[in-house]
Every structure is written in C-alpha cells, then in structure tokens.
Amino acid sequence: MALDITDLTPPPGFERLVLAQDPEAGLRALICLHSTRLGPAAGGCRMWAYDDDRAAIHDVTRLARGMTYKNAMADLGLGGGKAVIIGDARRDKTPRMMQAFGAAVDALGGTYWTAEDVGISPADMAHAATRTGFAVGLSGASGDPSPWTAEGVFRCLRVGAAHAFGTEDLSERRVLVQGLGHVGLSLAEKLAAAGARLIVTDINEAALQDARDRLGAQVCAPEAVFDQPMDIFAPCALGGVLTQRTAAMLGARLVCGAANNQLADEDVAAALAARGVTYLPDYVVNAGGIISVASEIHGQSDAWRLDRLGAIADRVARMLHQARQTDALPAQVADRMVEEMLAAPRAA
Ligand code: NAD
C-alpha cells in the first residue's frame, strides 16, 4: 500500500501532528500527539465527515490535549493523543482503510496507542490491529470500556452529592441523564437501583421507552432539558451542552456526567459556580473507560483496573476539598494538578 506520512507543523505546546494518507485504501487521517511527557500518547480514533482539514485539525488537537489531561489525572503512565479519519463512517469505511490506518499508527513506533471512538467499532480496530500492535479495545481483550466509564461517573456522582447536598444518599434525588447510549443507560440503571428519581432524555425513542418501562424513568424532550426541575444533571450525550445560556437556566446543584468537553468554554465553570452549581470536570470523572483500555496497553489485571477506578472518586473528593479550602473551582484545581504533573522533572 502507498502509505504516506507527512509531518505538519503542530500548534504551540503540541509535540507532533501527522497527516497519514493512502489514496488506494481511501485513507486520509490526522494523528496528533499532544504530550508524551508521562508515557506514550493514548487516545481513540474517531471517524467523521469534517467539512475541511481545518475542522479536522481543530478537533484532533482539542481531543489530543484532552487525553493528556485525562490520562495524567487517572495516573496511567500515558500521554495524550488522538486520531481522526476524515470521511463518513457509514459510507466510506472499509477494512482496507482500517488496515492502512493501522499501518500509519505502526509507523509512529509506539509513541501513539489507538482505540475506538465515535464512528469506529471493535471490529474496525481488529482490522487496524492486523498491521500494528498499538491498537487496543479489541473484542476478547479489555472489552467495552463503557460500563467502566459509567461506574466511575456513578461513584463520582455520589461524592459530588455529599459535597453539594451534605449526603451521598441518592434516594429521591432528581437526576437527569442526557443520552441513554452505552454509558448513559448503564449510569441510569445504577441511579435507579440507588433509588434516584430518574429523568431521562434522548433523541432515540426506543431508548426512552426502555428506560420508562424498565427503570420507571420520567421522560423529558431533548429541547426541554434546561427547563426541567432537577438536583443533578448528568450529561452523557454530546459535548458543549453547557453554555452561558444553558448554565443560567440549569436547575441542578451538581453536574456530573460522562460526555467529553461538556462546557462550551472555560468561563462556563465560573458561571455555574456563581449560581451555586458544583461542576465536576468531565475528564476527571469519565476516566473509567481509558483506565480499562490502559489495563490492556500495560497488560494489567482486573485488580489493577478496579484499583484505578476506585481512585477516581477519591481524587474527586480531594479535589473538592482543595477547591473549598482555596476558594477555587474544582476545574481549576484539576487543571493545576495536571499541569504540575506535566511540569515535574522526569523520573530517571
Ligand atoms: P453513545 O453514542 O453510545 O450514546 C450517546 C447517546 O446520546 C445516544 O443514545 C444518542 O441517541 C444520544 N443523543 C445524541 N444526541 C442527543 C441529544 N441532542 N439529546 C439527548 N440525547 C442525545 O455514546 P457513549 O459511548 O454512551 O458516550 C456518551 C458520551 O460520553 C460521549 O460524549 C463520549 O465521548 C463520552 N465518553 C464515553 C466513554 C465510553 O467509555 N464510552 C468514555 C469517556 C467519555
């Protein structure tokens, strides 16, 4: 195959940005290594029909940087990276394209580990894995990361409830879960079992019907989320749902969910805090999935995975304590913790 790897100029603060192309295989992908300071970069591969290369570069760099923060905070010995394949996953994806993508990952010599993300399935990753040993999240290995993500979010939500309401008891707490996908549904099941008054929303009618029938959930229309009375908001669908406008409308006192990049911009955290809303940073609470993937990268046991998962909620408790003591936002405390890790001298 005629694979071509071209180094592009990465944005300031980023280590590497490459364009990987194999026209015969239909591959046009960007791989970004934000930081390998704490270990090889790890982060999923997304396939998306971007309008142009600029949009793809914007997405891959933003996501790669996010992975540095998530992996550092979860103490995984991994840096942050991400890949995007440019194209429509339903129309353009082929086994040959995925093999070419695997070859591109392999050409980076283990500085980047890939896994599935939006538009990419474990079966697609299996094709990539025929050409590289640096593809994880394969069937029969660490498995679906989503239940791990949901469990981590659930535990953090309890810690957040103790902070916001003085008790981690969720019975009768009104919790709105936005998005009943792989993570959201699992989280909703845990909340229902804990006695929460569940409110759910999704654009998928069947998922709503199931949550209504099986979990006794109240259903809310996707566009009515921010008019809804609730105690806790758990965004588990899309990024960017909390803007200045929606933050001003939000009835909850706690935000804790799985979605990546929940805040439209950093200032939204302050707007939420000004209204007495505790926002638990997404990259801290949703690390369960990457922890599961990391266990595969490092060849670690289930005990290691469970131990790291348990550490997420402890970290959130410490972060909230520190935020209270220093009059800072939890998001600021979290970012500072990561920036200190990245600035620390390398171990010999
Ligand atoms: P998913 O695709 O399985 O589920 C997303 C759900 O959101 C779907 O049911 C979809 O119908 C629904 N949805 C889409 N638009 C909506 C809207 N406007 N209003 C309400 N619902 C809407 O994804 P997932 O794997 O469950 O991941 C959910 C979020 O968590 C994503 O942002 C993902 O990036 C993030 N995340 C996932 C994991 C993981 O382990 N899967 C790990 C970390 C972060």
Side-chain angles (χ1 to χ4, degrees), residues 140-220:
S142 60
D144 181 1
S146 310
W148 293 83
T149 305
E151 179 63 22
V153 171
F154 179 68
R155 292 186 192 188
C156 293
L157 197 140
R158 274 191 186 284
V159 172
H163 177 87
F165 308 109
T167 171
E168 63 168 42
D169 183 4
L170 296 173
S171 50
E172 295 306 312
R173 221 31 98 206
R174 294 164 303 179
V175 189
L176 192 150
V177 179
Q178 181 185 42
L180 291 171
H182 292 96
V183 181
L185 181 60
S186 173
L187 177 65
E189 286 167 351
K190 291 173 197 292
L191 290 165
R197 278 167 59 194
L198 203 55
I199 310 158
V200 294
T201 187
D202 200 294
I203 50 172
N204 174 351
E205 257 314 308
L208 293 175
Q209 186 68 47
D210 173 51
R212 194 167 17 212
D213 295 349
R214 214 164 40 81
L215 307 175
Q218 178 195 327
V219 167
C220 131

